[in-house]
Amino acid sequence: MTRLLFLGAGDIGKAMISRLTETGMAGKIEISVCDPYFNNTDIQTTSEITAIYPTLEAAQLNGAYDVIVIAIAPELFGKLAHLMKLVTTRQSLVISVMPGINVETLRHNHAYSVVRAMPNIGAKSGHSATGCYAGPYVTEAGRAIATRLLQTIGSVYWVKEESHLHAVTAISGCGPAYFFAFTEALAKAGISLGLPDDLALDLAIDTLHSASASLHADRSPARLRDEVTTPRGVTAAALKLFGEENNLETLVRRATKAANDRSTDLE
Ligand SMILES: NC(=O)C1=CN([C@@H]2O[C@H](COP(=O)(O)OP(=O)(O)OC[C@H]3O[C@@H](n4cnc5c(N)ncnc54)[C@H](OP(=O)(O)O)[C@@H]3O)[C@@H](O)[C@H]2O)C=CC1
Ligand SMILES: O=C(O)[C@@H]1CCC=N1
């Protein structure tokens, strides 16, 4: 049985544990959690968790692990890196979902192999778009294990260049927040046009959902946009403003560049 340790079980760690359970994979894995603040009531699937440890020293008492998922804040890793040797062997596979921290830093001169993954919050419902990079010593078997684990939370894409993970983070890692912000803005616009608050929010959320469903059926945003936009009609009046001086594209490009740069700064 594969022995899996989660170092950090906040939003992303818990989502992964829940999905491992929901997809039936947890039955083939012994799951341990190392998180000083993890609360048994935090997660409905605690029965799938073999052990909960407050520190890596405590997790060591259960021996080394085959796979360690690191899902803590990147700022914390520096304090814990030297302790990774306690819970790993040369054969261990470390999967980090932290932005910015590169493979070399993650290995910290230890012998384990490293996959970096950048999921998004869609992990909670199995709809993450996860970008991955395999470090130099990752075997085909290691890559397959990472793919299987990460497919429980959604789609998995591999990039060849580690540096591309900054852009992956800026696009899909942070991406849900952009759509949430747009949904908030759309709801507020509805209110300013006279709709009741609840109705404006319901319409904005359901519209995001319908746009997402259309995009899943027909993966061409430009064609779908054309389909909605009746010539000289109502949508065109709004899109004209999005397009003027490339407003929306410029804003999105600047915002994602800021995210990309912040990710680079974390290195
Ligand atoms: N949220 C998102 O959408 C995404 C997040 N990520 C990345 O995933 C990582 C985790 O993010 P997220 O789950 O949102 O963050 P959370 O803050 O929800 O979770 C981090 C967890 O680690 C715990 N922790 C703190 N100190 C330690 C320690 N010494 N040992 C073990 N665990 C510890 C935290 O406890 P406490 O909260 O009490 O401090 C918390 O439970 C981050 O690096 C983030 O950048 C990547 C993609 C998407
Ligand atoms: O905001 C963050 O730093 C993390 C990375 C991607 C999503 N959340």
Side-chain angles (χ1 to χ4, degrees), residues 99 118 169 173-174:
M118 180 44 58
T169 305
C174 310

CSV table of all heavy atoms in Angstrom, one decimal, residues 99 118 169 173-174, ligand 2:
chain,number,residue,atom,x,y,z
A,99,PRO,N,3.7,27.7,-4.9
A,99,PRO,CA,4.2,28.5,-6.0
A,99,PRO,C,5.6,29.0,-5.7
A,99,PRO,O,6.0,29.1,-4.6
A,99,PRO,CB,3.3,29.7,-6.1
A,99,PRO,CG,2.7,29.9,-4.7
A,99,PRO,CD,2.7,28.5,-4.1
A,118,MET,N,0.8,22.8,-9.9
A,118,MET,CA,0.0,24.0,-9.6
A,118,MET,C,-1.4,23.8,-9.9
A,118,MET,O,-1.9,23.9,-11.0
A,118,MET,CB,0.6,25.2,-10.4
A,118,MET,CG,-0.1,26.5,-10.2
A,118,MET,SD,-0.4,27.0,-8.4
A,118,MET,CE,1.2,26.9,-7.7
A,169,THR,N,0.8,29.4,-12.9
A,169,THR,CA,0.3,29.9,-11.6
A,169,THR,C,-0.6,31.2,-11.9
A,169,THR,O,-1.7,31.3,-11.4
A,169,THR,CB,1.4,30.3,-10.6
A,169,THR,OG1,2.2,29.1,-10.4
A,169,THR,CG2,0.9,30.8,-9.3
A,173,GLY,N,-3.7,28.8,-11.7
A,173,GLY,CA,-3.6,28.7,-10.3
A,173,GLY,C,-4.4,29.8,-9.6
A,173,GLY,O,-5.3,29.6,-8.8
A,174,CYS,N,-4.2,31.0,-10.1
A,174,CYS,CA,-4.9,32.2,-9.5
A,174,CYS,C,-6.2,32.4,-10.3
A,174,CYS,O,-7.1,33.1,-9.8
A,174,CYS,CB,-4.1,33.5,-9.7
A,174,CYS,SG,-2.4,33.4,-9.1
B,2,LIG,O1,-2.4,33.2,-4.2
B,2,LIG,C1,-1.5,32.3,-4.1
B,2,LIG,O2,-0.3,32.5,-3.8
B,2,LIG,C2,-1.9,30.9,-4.4
B,2,LIG,C3,-1.2,30.4,-5.7
B,2,LIG,C4,-2.2,30.2,-6.7
B,2,LIG,C5,-3.5,30.4,-6.0
B,2,LIG,N1,-3.3,30.8,-4.8
